[in-house]
Amino acid sequence: AKDTKTGVAVYDPAMQVEDGSRLLLLGDLRRALDSTDQLTLHYQPKIRLNDGQVSGAEALVRWQHPTRGAIPPAEFIPVAETTGLISRLTLYVLRAALGQVRTWLDDGLTLPVAVNVSPRCLLDAGLVGHVVALLREFDVPASLLRLEVTESAVMANPATATATLTELHELGVRLSIDDYGTGYSSMAYLKRLPVDELKVDRTFVLHMDADHDDAVLVRGAIELGHNLGMTVVAEGVEGIAHVAALQALGCDIAQGYHYARPMPAADLSRWISDQRP
Ligand code: C2E
Ligand code: CA
Ligand code: CA
Ligand code: CA
């Protein structure tokens, strides 16, 4: 697509057709994966609501394009997901995240890190092997790695997804259902999955104080998660009112701008030591 004013090509994630902007993005992303300085990870802390302690961090990819500047993941992840490039990106993120966990361990900080895994990667026969190899390479305990998958990723191919998740679980890797409430849920599958964490989508948390339906959904998700023996995380916690409401509902963990935005690894370790008296 071309910007009508400047005539400059822009990426349009909504574009499904095999057109110039999509190919341009894929080419640029391929180069970014080969370069060493365009893709980095930011980390956002997850806070335990009962004692305020940091329980872990979510790794979120950042792309600094050489000419276009920062491109948000919501723009390039969906395009990468339409091709095999998402598998390369996922491996890139896994490697960077586990390398960071190792660096933190060497610095005396034991911090579990969560990595987002796209639906397509969940069906990738190589995923489990790559995870095993990377855990070994960085000598990181499997329990410090968490993988976040969406319900729709599982439901797209329940048998394969369940088999992959079960293998990962048997290795000791932790698993979360991400964006809970946005996909179509199947209680039957949720029950069968070796998942120990449910992350309530931020759109519901954001409006839980104003929108009755959202409040009901958040309450229901917390109950469901607890009934299935899971830890429940609220995403998109932006204000103190959210914190109070979530605590009243018995939510276990919160993540959001109220506590901290995603930030570079060095900033997070500083942030964590500043939290500790
Ligand atoms: P997500 O997995 O649901 O990640 C949470 C998103 O919410 C992040 O956006 C985070 O910056 C944002 N967020 C956190 N707290 C708040 C808050 O209080 N308010 C609001 N409004 N937003 C908040 P981000 O980093 O732009 O990522 C967007 C999505 O892109 C992610 O959603 C995830 O689906 C995808 N993504 C990001 N990094 C990766 C990655 O490394 N691999 C894959 N496969 N997907 C990724
Ligand atoms: Ca996530
Ligand atoms: Ca999410
Ligand atoms: Ca999301």
Side-chain angles (χ1 to χ4, degrees), residues 6 13-14 28 54 84 98 103 122 141 147 166 192 226 250 261:
T6 60
D28 286 358
V54 176
L98 289 173
T103 301
L122 206 52
L147 300 179
T166 303
R192 260 183 269 164
H226 286 166
R261 296 199 172 235

Side-chain angles (χ1 to χ4, degrees), residues 40-104:
T40 53
L41 299 189
H42 278 191
Y43 296 86
Q44 187 178 36
K46 295 162 77 174
I47 314 296
R48 278 206 304 258
L49 282 165
N50 61 357
D51 61 5
Q53 293 295 303
V54 176
S55 70
E58 178 175 2
L60 295 154
V61 72
R62 295 292 177 258
W63 182 8
Q64 188 66 31
H65 188 282
T67 56
R68 298 194 54 222
I71 302 176
E75 234 179 273
F76 65 90
I77 299 275
V79 180
E81 277 174 348
T82 63
T83 75
L85 212 53
I86 191 64
S87 299
R88 278 191 63 198
L89 181 72
T90 301
L91 287 185
Y92 186 101
V93 172
L94 272 171
R95 163 174 288 280
L98 289 173
Q100 186 56 54
V101 172
R102 169 41 56 201
T103 301
W104 276 327

Side-chain angles (χ1 to χ4, degrees), residues 33-262:
L33 283 162
D34 290 329
S35 82
T36 51
D37 52 356
Q38 291 188 41
L39 295 168
T40 53
L41 299 189
H42 278 191
Y43 296 86
Q44 187 178 36
K46 295 162 77 174
I47 314 296
R48 278 206 304 258
L49 282 165
N50 61 357
D51 61 5
Q53 293 295 303
V54 176
S55 70
E58 178 175 2
L60 295 154
V61 72
R62 295 292 177 258
W63 182 8
Q64 188 66 31
H65 188 282
T67 56
R68 298 194 54 222
I71 302 176
E75 234 179 273
F76 65 90
I77 299 275
V79 180
E81 277 174 348
T82 63
T83 75
L85 212 53
I86 191 64
S87 299
R88 278 191 63 198
L89 181 72
T90 301
L91 287 185
Y92 186 101
V93 172
L94 272 171
R95 163 174 288 280
L98 289 173
Q100 186 56 54
V101 172
R102 169 41 56 201
T103 301
W104 276 327
L105 283 172
D106 292 343
D107 291 347
L109 176 64
T110 304
L111 192 66
V113 165
V115 169
N116 292 284
V117 174
S118 295
R120 194 181 165 119
C121 299
L122 206 52
L123 305 178
D124 193 334
L127 179 69
V128 177
H130 285 302
V131 168
V132 171
L134 286 169
L135 288 171
R136 205 170 287 154
E137 178 180 341
F138 291 107
D139 192 20
V140 165
S143 60
L144 292 184
L145 175 65
R146 177 175 288 285
L147 300 179
E148 299 190 0
V149 301
T150 60
E151 292 164 281
S152 30
V154 176
M155 295 315 293
N157 197 332
T160 310
T162 306
T164 302
L165 294 177
T166 303
E167 269 189 82
L168 289 163
H169 173 74
E170 279 164 3
L171 287 172
V173 173
R174 305 281 162 82
L175 303 166
S176 305
I177 292 291
D178 201 359
D179 301 348
Y180 180 75
T182 58
Y184 74 100
S185 318
S186 166
M187 253 289 270
Y189 270 103
L190 271 186
K191 254 172 90 168
R192 260 183 269 164
L193 293 174
V195 167
D196 70 354
E197 184 178 276
L198 199 64
K199 299 189 78 178
V200 184
D201 193 71
R202 70 164 185 267
T203 52
F204 304 107
V205 176
L206 198 59
H207 301 120
M208 65 181 286
D209 42 359
D211 186 319
H212 178 70
D213 293 346
D214 286 354
V216 167
L217 192 133
V218 172
R219 179 191 298 266
I222 293 169
E223 275 171 21
L224 171 80
H226 286 166
N227 285 338
L228 296 176
M230 296 193 226
T231 299
V232 180
V233 180
E235 309 183 312
V237 175
E238 294 193 355
I240 192 76
H242 289 147
V243 175
L246 291 163
Q247 272 169 333
L249 292 174
C251 186
D252 305 289
I253 292 172
Q255 186 182 344
Y257 296 168
H258 172 68
Y259 298 99
R261 296 199 172 235

